[in-house]
Amino acid sequence: MLQTISYLYQVADVFAFLVLAAAGLAIIFGMMGIINMAHGEFIAVGAYVTTYSYQAGAPLVLGILLGSAAAGLFGIALERTVVRRFYHRPIDSLVATWGISLIMTQGALLLFGSGAPGVGTPFGSVAVAGGSFSIYRLVLLLIAVLVLAGLYLVFMKTRFGVHARATMQNAAMARSLGVPVDRVYAATFGLGAALAGLAGGLYAPTMTLSPMMGGSFVIEAFVTVVAGGADVLVGTPPAAIVLAVIKATATSFYGQVYGVMGLLVAVCIVVRVLPDGFTGWMTRRST
Amino acid sequence: MTALLQANGLEKRFGGLKAVDGLSLAVEEGELHCLIGPNGAGKSTFFKLILGRYPPTAGTVHFKGEDITKLVAAARVRKGMSVKMQVPGVFPQLPVVQNLTIALQSHFGGSDLPREVERLLAFVDLTRDARKLAGNLSHGQKQWLEIAMAVGVTPTLLLLDEPTAGMSPEETWKTGEMILSLNKGGMTVLVVEHDMAFVRQIAKRVSVLHFGKLFAQGDIDTITNDEAVQEIYLGKGHHAH
Amino acid sequence: MKNLLSLVNGPQTFGQGRTFWSAALLLLVAALFFPLFVSNYTVGNVAFFAVWVFMALGLSLIWGYGGMLSFGQTAFFGMAGYSYGVIAINFGQQSNLTFLSLILALVMAGLLALLIGYFMIYGRITGVFVGIVTLSLTLTLATFVNQTAGPEWRIGRARLNGYNGMTRIPPLSIPWVDGKLYFEGTAFYFLVLALLVVTYLGLRILVNSRFGNVLVAIRENPDRAELLGYDIRRYQLAAFVIGSTLAGLSGALYTAWGQFIAPASMALPAAAMPIIWVAVGGRKDLTATMVGTLLVLWLFQSLIVISQQYALIFIGALLLVTILFTPGGYLVWLMEHWQAYTERRRERAVPLPSGRPVAEGAAE
């Protein structure tokens, strides 16, 4: 019994992590066709701002929101200056954002040093069926679901969402219909960065702070986005579920390392079998 | 005598839609055969089935007497087909002369290769632009470059999908003359076309497609004067000029 | 000589005239006499630089000429490095067959490349997904080897040693008059130089041949290439295997020189380095890649003495600036403009019998 609950808990935990880590990246990839290699650094921005705010006395929730906002603003600034030249050039954008990532991580290393004391994980743990499970991580699961629901509302029910989806389908057409495409791009990139910052802030209490910390998220985020495909609403959730199961299973049998390897191998298989990710599979099924 | 190209009962289904529906068509050696029909008649789909872009849901394709239904496009090209698709397909970052060299290098060797390239450049009037990057040519010139590439391999069957798309009337006329001279030299040509003036210029034999089926067939005058054909283009109650 | 020139010159490489080849020859002579003027230590260091060039040239072939962004170079680097280590430790030392170990290491890298290449290319994985799949596989390999620290992880007498890396690998040696000639310092330098010359010329011949023509055609418009009757997958796979095996050559030489190989050579940020060298210099041209790689490496090494952070920030900035302004590579940009300049000069200088110069299509 404990084993089952433990396993389900693990799957849920990984699912939450994948969704939160990948949501921002998926939106940017789906909208602008670029691969943001600086995604891990946006996460780090969120984590750092959250931690410093908390240590300055702010309540954790506020700290997390600040972290998310900071990352979002930083993202918009970056988009306006650099990223906008690379739309729909996935390889060039990959290389360019890689450069940005290098500058950010190494710059942070220079400024902040290699580590900083983190925040402790709040809420403690709950005992179930003889095992002890962190409540905070269950809260994160709830937040992950809320994020997905929130994204659904934004993209389906708001004017921005309509503009965004139009731009995603056909930017030239949208522009000629009066959609402020440049602002949509900037806002979307900012949203993607803010979500990354949110993930950083949310997980900051569970990790040590370091300028390289984005790296712990990046593999999972990329794998989820590639497997999910361009649509964060249709593709990311099923991809996250499938990958969470794979990772949890591999981890419980063989350990953390094989968990990560399992993901990496899974992405290769998905790319081979479902070239458009789960997005393609789901949309094809509905025709 | 067996036709050079024989399509038998070709069918292609996309989901619930039958784009090509039991189409049988023969192209004899030396013919200049035009395929026309209103939008959505299945011309493009049929063209791609002949080329081998995707397999048919039913039916067969025979080329030079051989069943090529299961062969991929590259293999069919190696058997003696050559194709020019609707959108100009050149190698944009390579110079014009290299585009042709690549097309011809598996058919000509040594000093024959540059000579053939020269000849083809003259044929499509691109000698002056030989060193230009193919991507910098005008639309019409790109089409001609691709025709030169398709023709230079001296194919047995030349397949052209709307070769004059996007061309000016002068360029269209010139293209027509090019195709006529190729056909006079013995090349079999199958052309999918929209432009009726162009079809008039070049066609000997015309097949009309409609709803994925062969609707009418004959020489150009019979077809244009056929009321049923006029109707499918213009709707009932209309007549062409 | 004329025949060799006609083979190494061609549409896919810049630098074909007499000036270029004279300069190249001069550089080669300088390189040959270089060890006379500097210490053995410096010579060894320079050779170490040059070792990375094979990996860069390989990536140029795969990405610049073949149009496939492969993040896998360091995977093959590591594969060959570890293979050399394993074979040399087990068999090399005693039987004086370290060179055979080198060759077998290349074969191993080549086989891995064949496997991965086949999976990707015949699985119709294209564009940026090639990068993603190769990156994933590289990271998987690195992650796996990283945790092989325990004593049970061994092949024969060679312990994999996890993140600490495999040590005590015998250097390259051949039987010599009085025992053994070890390829360290100057001897290693000449070996690498020789291999570099052969590789460079060999690749030039390859990319300017009919094979090379088809390869760049596939890069430009794979569909059209296919409709000309070419089996594009075979060409892509060939380019991928050759380019990846070159990365293996870098790996094997690196391992033989330092007598050491670790998973850090495969993981990030090492995996990104070849991309950066090749992107900055110019992936579409072999010479640009070679010179660009050496330049960036030299800059990096000079800066890393000050601080690793500054060095990496510089690299990041260099990458960004290059992609923003000269996305094809800085050196390629220079070469293209130089070529345009010389062509314009030639055009203007063609006189009519009347003596007036007239613009004419540049003859070559």
Side-chain angles (χ1 to χ4, degrees):
Chain A
M1 182 61 182
L2 174 63
Q3 272 212 320
T4 324
I5 295 187
S6 179
Y7 178 73
L8 287 173
Y9 172 83
Q10 260 204 307
V11 173
D13 189 38
V14 176
F15 172 78
F17 184 76
L18 292 178
V19 167
L20 291 168
L25 193 63
I27 289 175
I28 291 176
F29 180 60
M31 170 70 81
M32 289 161 271
I34 69 176
I35 304 225
N36 178 21
M37 296 298 273
H39 181 70
E41 280 58 61
F42 290 139
I43 295 179
V45 166
Y48 268 84
V49 171
T50 304
T51 307
Y52 283 133
S53 317
Y54 180 79
Q55 283 169 347
L60 185 59
V61 176
L62 183 61
I64 292 176
L65 288 172
L66 281 174
S68 179
L73 286 170
F74 187 73
I76 293 183
L78 210 59
E79 192 272 340
R80 296 275 89 188
T81 50
V82 175
V83 175
R84 63 203 319 224
R85 302 165 208 265
F86 298 110
Y87 290 149
H88 301 290
R89 290 164 57 185
I91 294 185
D92 283 348
S93 66
L94 190 148
V95 180
T97 49
W98 189 290
I100 296 175
S101 158
L102 267 178
I103 297 176
M104 283 175 75
T105 40
Q106 301 302 319
L109 270 173
L110 274 179
L111 292 172
F112 299 114
S114 55
V119 179
T121 312
F123 300 143
S125 47
V126 66
V128 176
S132 162
F133 301 95
S134 159
I135 295 184
Y136 186 63
R137 299 197 80 112
L138 290 172
V139 171
L140 289 178
L141 174 65
L142 182 64
I143 296 180
V145 174
L146 286 174
V147 163
L148 287 173
L151 285 174
Y152 177 80
L153 287 173
V154 166
F155 280 110
M156 293 295 168
K157 306 284 184 195
T158 67
R159 189 137 140 263
F160 166 75
V162 172
H163 285 175
R165 279 184 297 133
T167 312
M168 241 191 270
Q169 295 262 353
N170 190 334
M173 192 80 208
R175 203 191 297 264
S176 62
L177 288 173
V179 172
V181 167
D182 287 337
R183 277 200 293 201
V184 169
Y185 280 151
T188 312
F189 195 85
L191 177 62
L195 284 168
L198 179 67
L202 287 171
Y203 280 93
T206 67
M207 321 171 78
T208 354
L209 228 52
S210 123
M212 315 290 282
M213 69 187 292
S216 336
F217 294 76
V218 157
I219 293 182
E220 270 87 344
F222 269 96
V223 170
T224 311
V225 170
V226 171
D231 192 328
V232 70
L233 296 174
V234 164
T236 307
I241 294 176
V242 170
L243 290 170
V245 168
I246 293 178
K247 183 165 190 221
T249 314
T251 309
S252 43
F253 277 113
Y254 301 110
Q256 273 282 21
V257 171
Y258 286 89
V260 173
M261 279 169 56
L263 284 184
L264 292 169
V265 171
V267 79
C268 295
I269 297 180
V270 170
V271 170
R272 176 77 172 76
V273 171
L274 293 174
D276 293 315
F278 278 89
T279 305
W281 185 65
M282 301 287 275
T283 46
R284 243 177 288 145
R285 277 178 71 225
S286 64
T287 37
Chain B
M1 178 182 100
T2 13
L4 180 66
L5 178 73
Q6 178 76 49
N8 275 322
L10 274 185
E11 188 189 282
K12 183 63 182 173
R13 232 189 266 256
F14 291 112
L17 172 71
K18 264 200 213 172
V20 171
D21 190 1
L23 186 48
S24 295
L25 193 97
V27 177
E28 306 290 338
E29 191 162 351
E31 260 198 88
L32 208 175
H33 197 124
C34 267
L35 209 59
I36 65 175
N39 273 325
K43 308 192 291 292
S44 253
T45 313
F46 175 72
F47 189 85
K48 293 189 182 128
L49 286 172
I50 297 293
L51 181 57
R53 294 295 242 182
Y54 33 60
T57 25
T60 60
V61 181
H62 287 257
F63 183 59
K64 295 196 222 177
E66 198 187 318
D67 187 348
I68 60 166
T69 321
K70 295 229 189 308
L71 292 183
V72 292
R76 297 191 194 193
V77 167
R78 287 196 287 269
K79 291 237 177 258
M81 281 192 202
S82 187
V83 62
K84 193 217 159 307
M85 305 295 290
Q86 193 172 348
V87 178
V90 296
F91 303 116
Q93 300 250 10
L94 305 179
V96 167
V97 71
Q98 200 180 355
N99 272 259
L100 280 170
T101 311
I102 292 170
L104 268 54
Q105 70 180 24
S106 42
H107 291 85
F108 295 97
S111 53
D112 289 337
L113 183 56
R115 221 179 322 128
E116 271 303 302
V117 170
E118 285 295 324
R119 187 182 73 81
L120 281 163
L121 281 174
F123 180 68
V124 290
D125 206 17
L126 282 175
T127 320
R128 246 171 301 123
D129 301 298
R131 312 227 93 250
K132 252 191 178 172
L133 293 186
N136 293 335
L137 293 176
S138 75
H139 181 85
Q141 286 180 311
K142 279 190 204 153
Q143 302 273 52
W144 287 338
L145 173 57
E146 209 194 338
I147 290 176
M149 285 163 70
V151 155
V153 299
T154 52
T156 324
L157 172 65
L158 178 63
L159 298 165
L160 301 171
D161 189 359
E162 304 203 26
T164 59
M167 282 191 186
S168 69
E170 302 85 50
E171 289 172 333
T172 306
W173 178 263
K174 213 160 154 208
T175 312
E177 293 301 302
M178 275 186 217
I179 295 177
L180 280 170
S181 79
L182 287 169
N183 180 242
K184 238 176 242 145
M187 196 179 290
T188 316
V189 186
L190 176 62
V191 187
V192 167
E193 247 311 330
H194 248 140
D195 182 344
M196 285 310 285
F198 182 69
V199 175
R200 276 188 172 285
Q201 182 193 356
I202 64 169
K204 312 286 171 51
R205 199 162 146 80
V206 175
S207 295
V208 184
L209 290 190
H210 190 47
F211 288 138
K213 291 190 172 28
L214 183 60
F215 187 77
Q217 207 173 56
D219 65 66
I220 182 66
D221 291 307
T222 323
I223 290 295
T224 39
N225 291 322
D226 186 325
E227 274 185 21
V229 172
Q230 290 169 11
E231 257 171 35
I232 66 172
Y233 269 96
L234 304 166
K236 270 191 158 57
H238 285 85
H239 295 284
H241 37 276
Chain C
M1 195 62 214
K2 188 117 188 266
N3 266 332
L4 179 65
L5 266 182
S6 70
L7 284 174
V8 297
N9 282 332
Q12 265 74 262
T13 46
F14 288 108
Q16 7 225 29
R18 230 177 298 178
T19 339
F20 175 79
W21 287 110
S22 316
L25 198 59
L26 253 125
L27 267 172
L28 181 60
V29 170
L32 283 169
F33 286 100
F34 174 71
L36 288 175
F37 300 103
V38 294
S39 71
N40 215 19
Y41 175 74
T42 316
V43 170
N45 260 355
V46 172
F48 181 63
F49 261 30
V51 157
W52 302 97
V53 175
F54 301 101
M55 182 155 66
L57 285 173
L59 184 59
S60 169
L61 180 69
I62 298 175
W63 185 22
Y65 293 92
M68 303 176 277
L69 173 55
S70 166
F71 257 101
Q73 293 299 75
T74 48
F76 303 110
F77 181 95
M79 182 70 184
Y82 273 95
S83 302
Y84 175 81
V86 165
I87 301 174
I89 287 180
N90 283 302
F91 302 112
Q93 189 106 61
Q94 296 87 320
S95 42
N96 289 327
L97 288 175
T98 48
F99 262 94
L100 186 61
S101 315
L102 182 72
I103 295 176
L104 285 176
L106 290 181
V107 171
M108 292 300 292
L111 285 175
L112 182 65
L114 193 60
L115 192 66
I116 295 179
Y118 183 80
F119 170 76
M120 284 196 312
I121 293 167
Y122 282 81
R124 296 177 185 269
I125 295 177
T126 54
V128 75
F129 290 106
V130 170
I132 290 174
V133 168
T134 45
L135 180 59
S136 305
L137 290 172
T138 306
L139 292 179
T140 307
L141 195 59
T143 314
F144 174 74
V145 176
N146 216 25
Q147 48 93 53
T148 55
E152 70 276 16
W153 290 102
R154 54 167 61 229
I155 302 177
R157 262 176 307 154
R159 273 187 60 170
L160 290 179
N161 242 345
Y163 56 81
N164 290 314
M166 190 182 279
T167 54
R168 295 207 283 232
I169 302 176
L172 279 174
S173 63
I174 53 173
W176 204 238
V177 191
D178 49 347
K180 271 195 201 181
L181 173 64
Y182 284 98
F183 281 87
E184 293 159 326
T186 316
F188 184 74
Y189 171 84
F190 281 119
L191 173 67
V192 172
L193 188 61
L195 285 171
L196 199 56
V197 170
V198 169
T199 305
Y200 176 73
L201 290 177
L203 280 176
R204 275 193 74 126
I205 296 177
L206 183 67
V207 301
N208 286 317
S209 69
R210 292 184 175 204
F211 174 86
N213 272 341
V214 179
L215 190 64
V216 296
I218 295 173
R219 176 194 76 201
E220 291 295 304
N221 191 338
D223 197 54
R224 199 47 179 112
E226 202 164 21
L227 290 180
L228 285 172
Y230 293 112
D231 188 348
I232 62 176
R233 266 161 283 285
R234 252 193 251 173
Y235 287 87
Q236 287 176 318
L237 185 59
F240 186 77
V241 170
I242 295 174
S244 305
T245 309
L246 280 171
L249 181 58
S250 280
L253 286 172
Y254 167 89
T255 309
W257 180 87
Q259 300 169 263
F260 168 77
I261 179 85
S265 296
M266 295 191 275
L268 295 170
M273 285 301 157
I275 314 271
I276 295 174
W277 304 328
V278 168
V280 169
R283 62 184 191 256
K284 286 216 173 112
D285 179 74
L286 292 171
T287 317
T289 298
M290 187 161 72
V291 175
T293 301
L294 289 169
L295 267 175
V296 175
L297 271 173
W298 175 72
L299 282 167
F300 187 70
Q301 291 289 74
S302 321
L303 285 173
I304 217 173
V305 188
I306 308 177
S307 128
Q308 189 181 17
Q309 279 74 54
Y310 278 119
L312 285 171
I313 290 182
F314 173 76
I315 293 285
L318 186 62
L319 195 57
L320 196 56
V321 166
T322 308
I323 287 285
L324 276 172
F325 300 113
T326 55
Y330 187 53
L331 285 172
V332 165
W333 183 88
L334 277 174
M335 285 168 158
E336 280 174 346
H337 279 76
W338 175 257
Q339 196 173 54
Y341 171 71
T342 48
E343 275 193 14
R344 275 199 304 268
R345 270 183 57 189
R346 226 176 310 162
E347 277 178 29
R348 260 181 251 131
V350 176
L352 279 181
S354 66
R356 276 193 313 131
V358 141
E360 245 190 357
E364 196 110 0

